[in-house]
Amino acid sequence: MELEVYLKERKAYIDGILKDFLPDEPRFGKKLYEAVKYSLTVGGKRLRPILCLAACEVVGGGIEKAIPVAVALEMIHTYSLIHDDLPAMDNDTLRRGHPTTWKKFGEATAILAGDALLNRAFEVIADSSLESELKVKVISEIGRASGMLGMVLGQQCDIEAEGRNDVSLEELEFIHRHKTGALITASVVSGGIVGGGSEKELKALRGYGQLIGYAFQIIDDVLDVAGEQEKIGKNVGSDVEKGKVTFVTFYGVKGARKKAEESVNKAIEMLEIFPVSKRELLEKIARFIVEREY
Ligand code: GRG
């Protein structure tokens, strides 16, 4: 199947089930529920859940088991975007082609909506019918990747780097390995865990996740300079405006694209331990990451 069709179908499937994992609407405090529902359903590529399901399949697992984990990953990702857009952080007004959560619901509700999604994500995994041992492994993997030695740390470093022109390539790579790469890697690894992957398979998936995560961020930087606002669904040029050093600062647009391609090629090599017919999908997703226009 064409990757584009596959991605569309998987996205539609995930879009269709996300709301099922929210609790019932409360009698009071409905604005929080509205903000969570809005943020979660307003759009997005659903890349992290798609990766989780595909990784589960590559190790021979059925996707049903991975669904709560895939949903939890999208919840965490969405929370991070809501908080990232806040005036105290990136102060963005457009996300996924729509007003950011704080712009629509106010700052306090946006902070709480992010908090609610983060907590709900772990609740969804804990309440799933996965074997207890797998739940613990997955919760640990995702908690580490999104927490104070993962995405949150990356975000802190990113904020500290803003407006500085002495950011080294090493520091930039550290920021993005944590801010963007960690959750992408955890998406792939947790799919592999749920699917019953061996240590060797999980190691390969981790390597793949890290390399595509790196490429993903490079392309994100490229799109901020060379993308089209309607396609990417957020304001173009915001990195330069905020005085951010990016991969484009170091390599230029062409050089950055080349770096991303190299990283994706290495990611694809990591998959060589899997049968050709099974690894094809993860290979195509990796290529999509460098070729994407949104
Ligand atoms: C606030 C704790 C905290 C973390 C924020 C992820 C993040 C950390 C900030 C987002 C800022 C940003 C633009 C990062 C670059 C890469 C990235 C994560 C882009 C957005 O992900 P996509 O393209 O978004 O998968 P969609 O909307 O398709 O889900």
Side-chain angles (χ1 to χ4, degrees):
M1 193 199 294
E2 279 292 309
L3 182 72
E4 216 168 296
V5 178
Y6 169 85
L7 291 176
K8 247 192 199 154
E9 281 183 12
R10 278 277 149 106
K11 174 177 152 47
Y13 175 70
I14 292 153
D15 286 349
I17 60 167
L18 280 171
K19 272 210 294 286
D20 301 342
F21 286 85
L22 290 181
D24 291 340
E25 198 172 340
R27 219 161 107 68
F28 302 103
K30 284 183 193 297
K31 194 171 161 191
L32 174 68
Y33 184 86
E34 285 308 315
V36 165
K37 199 171 71 172
Y38 170 79
S39 314
L40 201 56
T41 56
V42 80
K45 295 181 283 299
R46 313 306 189 195
L47 179 68
R48 292 148 195 84
I50 289 173
L51 280 168
C52 175
L53 301 182
C56 179
E57 284 178 310
V58 83
V59 297
I63 63 162
E64 322 73 50
K65 273 176 89 177
I67 283 166
V69 179
V71 167
L73 287 159
E74 188 63 22
M75 287 179 167
I76 293 174
H77 170 58
T78 303
Y79 123 74
S80 79
L81 299 181
I82 297 173
H83 281 193
D84 183 64
D85 290 334
L86 286 167
M89 296 212 197
D90 266 4
N91 193 22
D92 275 319
T93 54
L94 191 67
R95 167 75 65 185
R96 293 172 162 175
H98 295 269
T100 48
T101 310
W102 75 267
K103 200 72 192 154
K104 201 169 159 73
F105 296 91
E107 276 184 71
T109 301
I111 292 169
L112 293 171
D115 295 341
L117 277 166
L118 175 60
N119 286 287
R120 183 70 181 172
F122 288 104
E123 191 185 344
V124 163
I125 301 175
D127 290 351
S128 72
S129 57
L130 267 181
E131 294 92 314
S132 300
E133 198 191 329
L134 294 184
K135 274 185 200 171
V136 173
K137 274 193 182 162
V138 164
I139 287 173
S140 164
E141 180 71 33
I142 298 176
R144 192 166 46 250
S146 49
M148 68 182 293
L149 287 181
M151 182 175 71
V152 173
L153 174 63
Q155 180 75 350
Q156 176 64 31
C157 296
D158 193 43
I159 291 166
E160 287 177 16
E162 212 170 298
R164 275 174 45 214
N165 56 15
D166 63 342
V167 178
S168 65
L169 185 56
E170 188 194 357
E171 188 177 345
L172 186 72
E173 287 182 342
F174 181 93
I175 293 171
H176 294 307
R177 221 175 29 249
H178 292 82
K179 188 177 108 169
T180 315
L183 193 63
I184 290 182
T185 306
S187 305
V188 179
V189 174
S190 58
I193 293 172
V194 174
S198 66
E199 282 308 314
K200 189 178 164 197
E201 288 173 328
L202 296 183
K203 192 168 170 223
L205 287 176
R206 191 176 296 284
Y208 166 86
Q210 287 164 345
L211 288 157
I212 60 163
Y214 183 63
F216 183 88
Q217 180 61 51
I218 297 177
I219 297 301
D220 204 73
D221 288 355
V222 168
L223 291 176
D224 192 71
V225 177
E228 290 172 40
Q229 187 164 311
E230 300 79 65
K231 284 189 183 155
I232 63 174
K234 57 182 182 177
N235 300 318
V236 173
S238 65
D239 290 339
V240 177
E241 205 179 288
K242 286 167 196 143
K244 283 191 176 180
V245 167
T246 72
F247 286 106
V248 175
T249 322
F250 281 96
Y251 299 119
V253 168
K254 236 173 130 184
R257 277 199 187 280
K258 191 159 175 277
K259 281 276 164 201
E261 270 163 34
E262 283 166 11
S263 192
V264 156
N265 288 339
K266 281 193 210 148
I268 290 171
E269 279 172 30
M270 291 282 167
L271 301 173
E272 278 169 9
I273 63 158
F274 299 107
V276 178
S277 60
K278 284 207 164 142
R279 69 185 193 228
E280 202 182 18
L281 194 52
L282 285 177
E283 284 177 5
K284 284 186 182 171
I285 297 175
R287 290 214 177 85
F288 161 77
I289 281 173
V290 270
E291 286 159 13
R292 73 196 171 101
E293 293 178 348
Y294 59 97

